[in-house]
Amino acid sequence: MNGKRWKRLKGILLLGTVLAALKMIFFDYTLDEEYQIVMAYRNISVDSWFVQMWEPHQTSAFLCAWLMRLYYVAAGTYTGVILYLRICTTLIQLALTFYLYRVLCGLTEKRYAFMLALIYFNVVPKAIQIPEFSNMQLWFFTLLVLLLIRYYKGTGDQKRRDYILLILMGLCMSLEVLSYPSCIILFPFFSGYIFKKSGSKRWRDTACFAGTCGACALVWLGLILRNISFSDFVRNVGYMLDFDPTHEISGVSSTKLAALFSNLVAGLGLIALILAISGGIFFLLRMCQNKKAAGEHPADEKSNVNENDGGNDSGTGRLYAAQAKRECILKFAVIAIMVSEVVQLFYWVILHTGYELPHIHFAVILFAAGAAWRYAGKQKGAFCGDSRGPAFYRRGGLYQRSGALQCTAAWLAGRPVLCDSHYVGAAKYSGRAGRTLDMGVACQPVSGLSGGKGLYHARRPWL
C-alpha cells in the first residue's frame, strides 16, 4: 500500500472512530450502565459492601464511585453525571490506546501498531462507555500485559530491571480482581509466568509481584471489615456465590454449565460454517488465478521453467513449496476474517441481536492468528524476547474469560470480555500477514474490525 492510499485509509478510520466515540458519549442508555451507576451511588451514600449490597459485581463500583464523588464536589449535584462518566471513560480508553501504541511500536511496524491500537480503542466489551466492570476488567488486564512486556522486553537475566513495574503489575492484578472477583484465577497464572521467565531472580520477582497483591488484599479487607465482622463477611460471600440476583442462572450450576456447553457447540458450528464458506471462496479464487496464469504463460515456457527447477537443489524446491503453502494459508485467513465480519454484520443489522452478540469474528481471528504464528519463525521472539509470549497472553485472556463466567450470563462468546486475547491474535496475524502479503490485503480484516463498531452504531436508532 503506497503512502497516499495509507493516508486516505488512516483518515477514514480516524473519522469513523471519532463519530463512533461521539455516538457512544451522547446517545443510548443501557441496563448494565444503569446497574453500575446505581451500585456506585449506593456505595457513596449509605450502603456498605457485603452488608446492604448483594450484587456480585459490587466491588467494581470503586472507580465509578470515585469519579462521581469528584463530580459532586465540583458541581454540587449529580445532574449530568452520566455524560461526565462517559467522557472520562473515553479519555481513559484513549490513554490506554496511546500507551498500547507506544509499546507495539517497539514490537512491529508503526502502521501495524496504529491499526491495532485503533482496534483496541473501538472494540469494547459492551456498548457501554462508563467505568463498568467489563471495561475495567479489560483495562487492568491490558495494563498488566503491557507492563509485563515492558519489564522483560530487551532485558537479559543479568541486566537491570525496573522493579517498580512489578509493583505496578501487582496493583493492576489487584484492581483486575476487584473489577471481576473471579478473575483471581489469573494470579497463579501470572505468578507462574514471572517465576519461569525471571531466571535467577525468579524468587525475588515473584515475591515482589505476589507481595504487592497480598498487601492490596489486606488493605481492601481492612476497609471491608470496618462495617462487617469477618464471619458475616465469609457467610455473605457464600450466599452471593450461590445466588446471583442479576442473572436468570445463578452460580456455577448444572443449568449454567449445560447452557455454556450448548452455546459452545453453537459457536463452533458457526465457526465451521464460516470456514467452509471461506474455503469455497478461496478455491474459487484459486481456480480463477490458475486459469489466468495459464493464459499468460505458454506451455513451452512452463516446461522450461519446470526443467530449470528440476536442476536445482531439492532443498530450494521445498523452500518454494513452503513459501507457497504459507501464502495460501494467510490468504485463506484473510478471507475467513472478512467472511466472519459479514456474518457479524448480519447478526447486528438483520437479526438485531445487539452489540454483544455473537462476536464470532473474534474467534475467527484466533484461528487466523494461530495459522499466522505457525509460520512466523524467528519473528516469534519479538514479544518479550520470548517465542511463547503471545500464546501466554492468549491463554491469559482465556483464563480471564473463564473467571468472568461465574458472574456473568451463560453466553460463552456473547460478550467480548476476551478482547485482549483476540487482540493479541490480531497483532500476531497482522504482523505476520503484512510481511508475507501486500499491506493492503493484510490490513483489510483489521480495517473491517475498526469500522465494524461504527457500522453497528450507525445502524442503531439515534435516541
Side-chain angles (χ1 to χ4, degrees):
M1 180 181 293
N2 58 41
K4 187 176 180 180
R5 290 180 60 192
W6 166 245
K7 289 181 180 179
R8 188 183 304 127
L9 174 63
K10 187 176 179 180
I12 292 172
L13 292 177
L14 285 174
L15 177 61
T17 297
V18 171
L19 292 176
L22 291 174
K23 173 66 164 57
M24 291 284 287
I25 291 174
F26 291 104
F27 297 89
D28 293 343
Y29 187 63
T30 65
L31 180 62
D32 279 353
E33 188 172 18
E34 175 187 351
Y35 173 60
Q36 188 75 15
I37 292 175
V38 169
M39 280 196 302
Y41 180 77
R42 291 178 59 194
N43 185 245
I44 291 173
S45 54
V46 294
D47 292 347
S48 301
W49 286 347
F50 305 102
V51 182
Q52 292 87 11
M53 298 179 67
W54 289 86
E55 294 81 3
H57 308 91
Q58 61 183 276
T59 57
S60 68
F62 67 92
L63 182 55
C64 201
W66 291 345
L67 291 172
M68 288 174 66
R69 283 193 180 99
L70 291 175
Y71 181 82
Y72 186 80
V73 169
T77 179
Y78 288 112
T79 302
V81 72
I82 296 175
L83 184 62
Y84 159 77
L85 290 174
R86 290 178 177 183
I87 293 174
C88 289
T89 300
T90 303
L91 294 176
I92 292 171
Q93 187 80 358
L94 185 63
L96 280 172
T97 300
F98 180 74
Y99 183 51
L100 185 65
Y101 171 76
R102 292 289 301 272
V103 172
L104 286 175
C105 282
L107 303 176
T108 186
E109 298 176 22
K110 286 188 176 181
R111 287 194 289 186
Y112 298 127
F114 172 80
M115 299 290 281
L116 293 166
L118 206 60
I119 291 176
Y120 183 83
F121 183 81
N122 280 283
V123 178
V124 294
K126 301 177 185 177
I128 297 176
Q129 199 71 357
I130 67 167
E132 184 255 1
F133 45 87
S134 295
N135 287 331
M136 293 164 58
Q137 182 190 14
L138 177 61
W139 294 342
F140 295 125
F141 184 79
T142 300
L143 283 173
L144 184 54
V145 169
L146 292 179
L147 291 169
L148 197 66
I149 292 175
R150 184 179 171 187
Y151 184 68
Y152 289 112
K153 181 65 178 176
T155 61
D157 187 43
Q158 304 301 322
K159 293 185 179 180
R160 180 181 178 275
R161 294 180 183 141
D162 190 356
Y163 288 97
I164 190 65
L165 296 177
L166 282 173
I167 297 174
L168 291 175
M169 277 188 267
L171 179 61
C172 289
M173 181 73 254
S174 303
L175 295 175
E176 172 80 3
V177 173
L178 281 183
S179 302
Y180 242 107
S182 47
C183 281
I184 196 172
I185 63 174
L186 286 171
F187 173 74
F189 177 75
F190 278 98
S191 298
Y193 183 80
I194 292 171
F195 184 83
K196 184 177 181 181
K197 180 69 177 173
S198 293
S200 61
K201 300 178 181 178
R202 58 172 59 95
W203 289 107
R204 183 194 304 177
D205 287 5
T206 306
C208 184
F209 172 75
T212 303
C213 294
C216 291
L218 290 175
V219 171
W220 177 83
L221 186 61
L223 294 174
I224 294 298
L225 295 181
R226 292 183 306 170
N227 303 309
I228 186 174
S229 66
F230 183 76
S231 59
D232 288 344
F233 167 71
V234 173
R235 181 198 62 193
N236 290 350
V237 169
Y239 288 157
M240 289 173 55
L241 293 175
D242 292 335
F243 177 69
D244 177 5
T246 64
H247 294 106
E248 294 180 359
I249 304 177
S250 298
V252 182
S253 62
S254 59
T255 305
K256 172 172 275 192
L257 293 176
L260 291 173
F261 178 76
S262 175
N263 181 235
L264 177 62
V265 171
L268 292 176
L270 187 55
I271 292 174
L273 177 62
I274 290 172
L275 295 179
I277 295 173
S278 303
I281 295 174
F282 173 78
F283 284 111
L284 181 62
L285 293 175
R286 188 77 182 274
M287 288 174 58
C288 294
Q289 185 180 12
N290 290 340
K291 287 183 179 180
K292 183 178 179 180
E296 293 176 354
H297 299 284
D300 55 341
E301 291 184 9
K302 292 173 64 178
S303 63
N304 291 334
V305 172
N306 291 335
E307 290 176 3
N308 293 333
D309 288 344
N312 291 337
D313 183 76
S314 60
T316 304
R318 287 195 297 269
L319 182 63
Y320 285 138
Q323 177 68 18
K325 181 179 180 181
R326 181 184 302 117
E327 291 185 4
C328 287
I329 291 176
L330 293 175
K331 288 176 181 178
F332 175 78
V334 170
I335 295 171
I337 295 175
M338 296 181 73
V339 169
S340 69
E341 290 173 3
V342 173
V343 171
Q344 183 61 58
L345 289 173
F346 174 80
Y347 272 89
W348 283 346
V349 179
I350 306 299
L351 299 183
H352 303 284
T353 58
Y355 175 70
E356 298 175 18
L357 299 173
H359 280 289
I360 197 65
H361 54 314
F362 284 142
V364 175
I365 284 179
L366 286 180
F367 281 98
W373 200 246
R374 172 76 168 76
Y375 297 99
K378 295 181 179 179
Q379 297 170 6
K380 292 179 179 180
F383 285 80
C384 292
D386 184 0
S387 62
R388 293 168 293 183
F392 161 77
Y393 304 134
R394 270 199 307 154
R395 287 195 298 270
L398 292 170
Y399 286 128
Q400 181 193 38
R401 177 55 179 164
S402 300
L405 292 179
Q406 167 63 30
C407 299
T408 191
W411 288 97
L412 185 63
R415 294 174 180 173
V417 180
L418 194 51
C419 282
D420 274 343
S421 68
H422 297 304
Y423 174 80
V424 171
K428 289 163 59 177
Y429 161 76
S430 299
R432 181 57 189 164
R435 290 176 173 83
T436 304
L437 308 176
D438 176 74
M439 173 70 177
V441 175
C443 284
Q444 284 175 9
V446 183
S447 304
L449 281 171
S450 300
K453 175 184 166 187
L455 288 174
Y456 167 75
H457 288 297
R459 180 200 64 79
R460 297 184 70 190
W462 290 67
L463 301 179

